[in-house]
């Protein structure tokens, strides 16, 4: 049989024998009629897929980026760029794993469906133990996102109504968020994500303009620029990994597209825009407030801009929550092998939000928790698992250069994740 080589977004697609069309339809590019069928079943366009992924990566992590700069000092700049580049590369590796044809799978694996989830990709490579490990990591990470969402909404409410206690703000955040946890389709959630991105643009504009005025009136906080420590840089690592990591949900984002083969392009565009925007946002705010930079940057703003941005943050986070809930329960249903009834699903979602709100009330430290979840699940799902599966399924088809690069990424993830976890736990203990 003839042999051909395909390349996808950065040459990370495995070379493979050319299959007969009638035998390996899942390996070919999606045909026009398949695109239409996917659209009719809820598939979203390239642009809406970009908004979904961009909003998940941008909405939460952006607000902690200035605090990451405060924690890590000037070394945060190259660290951010490295994390962004490596995250995009491992995202494309994961896409390659997801699209590996069944006839190229190791003989010890069971053949999954054509568009596997992250944990099914793990089972392709290493069997059921790997599958369970990935599922636990995914669910833990998504719960972490739910917790920090609750913290963010509660803190925004508290900034708008300072007379309310922390628990009262958390209760309001819970009650306001509850109706949105019952969304079930990513196609619908995409429109909420689009609105959330627009709202976040308002927040970003107000923060940057206020920071520039702060610099004009009080000068740049030069002393903070070169003040860093190992623990501070470790905390910054976790925050930045969280800010650039959504790999746990990549398979669901990919399968939600009308044209799933375009997902590497969605990744590339998203990370390019994110890298430029997060760097500019973090640096300007950090220079403006220096050592006074708060865990949520909007707490540094004057009264009127603070009110505006906190209202916008509450709205943005509120609109972003359904995306996390939909993906969490898709993974959970896939793990069980059956979809829950309406009543069971609504009960599960309600109890899940209760849990997130309770943790948010007990440990209301947005940036530090964000860094801890980034160091733990973010490192595993972004730097380790995609590379391990890529090496396993790529096998001898990968050249020596790609294998060395993959191992460098894994070492970077292990060292950075371990160091960041230690720093985040130490900081949280000091805060408690």
């Amino acid at each position: 049989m003839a042999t051909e080589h395909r390349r996808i977004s950065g040459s990370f697609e495995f070379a493979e024998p050319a299959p007969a069309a009638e035998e390996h339809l899942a390996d070919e590019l999606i045909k026009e009629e398949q695109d239409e069928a996917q659209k009719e079943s809820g598939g979203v366009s390239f642009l809406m897929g970009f908004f979904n992924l961009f909003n998940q990566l941008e909405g939460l992590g952006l607000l902690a980026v200035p605090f990451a700069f405060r924690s890590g000092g000037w070394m945060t700049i190259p660290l951010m760029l490295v994390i962004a580049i490596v995250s995009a590369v491992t995202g494309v590796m994961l896409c390659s794993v997801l699209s590996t044809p069944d006839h190229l799978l190791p003989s010890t694996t069971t053949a999954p469906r054509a568009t596997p989830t992250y944990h099914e990709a793990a089972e392709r490579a290493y069997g059921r133990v790997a599958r369970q490990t990935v599922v636990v990591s995914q669910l833990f990470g998504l719960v972490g996102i739910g917790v920090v969402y609750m913290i963010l909404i509660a803190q925004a409410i508290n900034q708008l109504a300072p007379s309310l206690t922390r628990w009262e703000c958390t209760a309001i955040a819970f009650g306001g968020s509850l109706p949105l946890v019952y969304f079930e389709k990513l196609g619908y959630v995409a429109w909420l994500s689009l609105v959330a991105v627009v709202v976040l643009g308002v927040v970003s504009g107000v923060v940057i303009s206020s920071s520039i005025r702060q610099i004009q009136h009080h000068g740049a906080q030069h002393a903070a620029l070169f003040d860093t420590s190992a623990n501070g840089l470790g905390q910054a690592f976790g925050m930045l990994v969280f800010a650039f990591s959504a790999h746990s949900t990549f398979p669901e984002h990919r399968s939600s597209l009308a044209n799933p083969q375009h997902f590497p392009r969605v990744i590339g565009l998203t990370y390019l825009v994110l890298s430029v925007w997060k760097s500019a946002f973090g640096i300007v705010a950090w220079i403006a407030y220096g050592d006074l930079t708060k865990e949520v940057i909007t707490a540094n703003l004057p009264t009127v801009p603070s009110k505006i941005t906190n209202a916008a943050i509450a709205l943005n986070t509120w609109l972003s929550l359904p995306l996390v809930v939909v993906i969490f329960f898709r993974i959970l249903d896939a793990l069980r092998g059956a979809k829950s009834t309406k009543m069971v699903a609504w009960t599960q979602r309600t109890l899940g939000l209760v849990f997130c709100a309770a943790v948010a009330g007990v440990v209301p430290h947005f940036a530090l928790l964000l860094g801890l979840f980034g160091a733990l699940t973010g490192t595993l799902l972004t730097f380790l698992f995609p590379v391990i599966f890529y090496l396993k399924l790529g096998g001898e088809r990968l050249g020596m250069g790609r294998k060395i690069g993959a191992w460098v990424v894994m070492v970077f993830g292990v060292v950075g994740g371990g160091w960041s976890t230690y720093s985040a736990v130490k900081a949280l203990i000091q805060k408690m």
Side-chain angles (χ1 to χ4, degrees):
M1 185 176 291
T3 300
E4 65 180 2
H5 294 270
R6 291 191 299 165
R7 294 180 180 270
I8 292 182
S9 185
S11 302
F12 286 102
E13 179 72 0
F14 303 136
E16 60 181 89
E22 65 276 11
E23 295 176 351
H24 302 291
L25 290 175
D27 304 338
E28 299 179 349
L29 295 177
I30 297 177
K31 301 290 191 295
E32 182 178 350
E33 59 271 21
Q34 292 173 310
D35 295 344
E36 293 302 320
Q38 181 72 14
K39 289 177 183 176
E40 291 176 4
S41 65
V44 300
S45 67
F46 177 92
L47 184 60
M48 296 308 295
F50 164 75
F51 279 124
N52 262 344
L53 186 58
F54 180 88
N55 183 53
Q56 183 164 5
L57 283 161
E58 179 76 344
L60 185 63
L62 181 69
L63 300 174
V65 170
F67 189 77
F69 276 93
R70 172 193 162 179
S71 301
W74 69 272
M75 283 297 294
T76 305
I77 298 174
L79 180 63
M80 171 183 281
L81 295 177
V82 170
I83 288 174
I85 293 171
V86 173
S87 297
V89 168
T90 58
V92 175
M93 286 182 177
L94 183 58
C95 287
S96 180
V97 170
L98 295 174
S99 60
T100 303
D102 288 349
H103 64 285
L104 291 182
L105 296 177
S107 58
T108 56
T109 64
T110 58
R113 56 195 174 90
T115 52
T117 62
Y118 201 139
H119 51 273
E120 286 173 329
E123 188 170 8
R124 281 183 160 197
Y126 286 101
R128 293 194 61 82
V129 173
R131 174 191 176 100
Q132 301 301 330
T133 301
V134 166
V135 167
V136 170
S137 300
Q138 284 183 293
L139 296 180
F140 183 74
L142 290 168
V143 168
I145 294 175
V147 170
V148 292
Y149 271 20
M150 286 291 100
I151 293 173
L152 200 55
I153 297 173
Q155 288 185 352
I157 293 171
N158 187 246
Q159 291 292 323
L160 294 170
S163 61
L164 297 177
T165 66
R166 182 175 78 222
W167 283 105
E168 288 172 338
C169 293
T170 304
I172 294 172
F174 168 80
S177 301
L178 188 59
L180 292 187
V181 304
Y182 303 124
F183 279 88
E184 295 184 357
K185 287 188 176 181
L186 278 174
Y188 299 147
V189 172
W191 290 103
L192 295 181
S193 294
L194 175 59
V195 176
V197 169
V198 173
V199 173
L200 186 63
V202 174
V203 175
S204 303
V206 173
V207 170
I208 287 180
S209 61
S210 297
S211 298
I212 291 173
R213 285 196 297 272
Q214 174 76 9
I215 294 171
Q216 290 173 337
H217 293 151
H218 302 285
Q221 301 298 309
H222 297 291
L225 301 184
F226 300 98
D227 182 15
T228 187
S229 66
N231 284 335
L233 196 57
Q235 293 174 34
F237 180 93
M239 295 175 205
L240 294 175
V241 169
F242 195 104
F244 283 99
S245 174
H247 291 52
S248 174
T249 62
F250 274 15
E252 282 70 30
H253 281 290
R254 177 179 179 271
S255 63
S256 74
L257 289 176
N259 298 297
Q261 78 273 15
H262 291 166
F263 190 58
R265 289 169 52 198
V266 173
I267 293 175
L269 177 61
T270 303
Y271 275 92
L272 176 62
V273 175
L274 284 173
S275 299
V276 174
W277 184 240
K278 287 182 187 288
S279 298
F281 182 89
I283 291 171
V284 170
W286 170 51
I287 291 175
Y289 300 104
D291 288 336
L292 299 178
T293 303
K294 305 294 185 182
E295 288 190 35
V296 181
I297 187 60
T298 54
N300 288 100
L301 304 184
T303 303
V304 174
S306 180
K307 298 278 186 188
I308 294 172
T309 54
N310 279 292
I313 286 171
L315 178 60
N316 170 271
T317 312
W318 182 66
L319 293 173
S320 302
L321 185 63
L323 183 63
V324 177
V325 174
V326 168
I327 292 174
F328 180 94
F329 284 99
R330 280 191 178 188
I331 294 172
L332 194 61
D333 288 344
L335 176 64
R336 291 198 306 259
K339 188 172 183 178
S340 302
T341 64
K342 284 279 187 182
M343 185 59 66
V344 172
W346 287 9
T347 301
Q348 290 173 335
R349 294 177 183 217
T350 302
L351 293 177
L353 193 64
V354 168
F355 175 80
C356 291
V359 176
V362 174
V363 191
H365 299 292
F366 168 73
L368 295 179
L369 276 179
L370 186 144
L372 179 60
F373 285 117
L376 291 173
T377 61
T379 297
L380 289 173
L381 294 166
T382 304
F383 299 138
L384 298 185
F385 291 158
V387 179
I388 292 172
F389 303 154
Y390 178 74
L391 288 172
K392 173 69 172 181
L393 296 179
E396 296 303 319
R397 295 182 296 278
L398 298 178
M400 183 58 66
R402 292 185 189 179
K403 289 182 179 180
I404 293 174
W407 276 99
V408 170
V409 169
M410 282 199 293
V411 172
F412 174 75
V414 170
V415 174
W419 171 31
S420 184
T421 300
Y422 168 78
S423 300
V425 170
K426 181 178 179 181
L428 278 171
I429 291 174
Q430 292 173 346
K431 289 277 188 179
M432 298 296 288

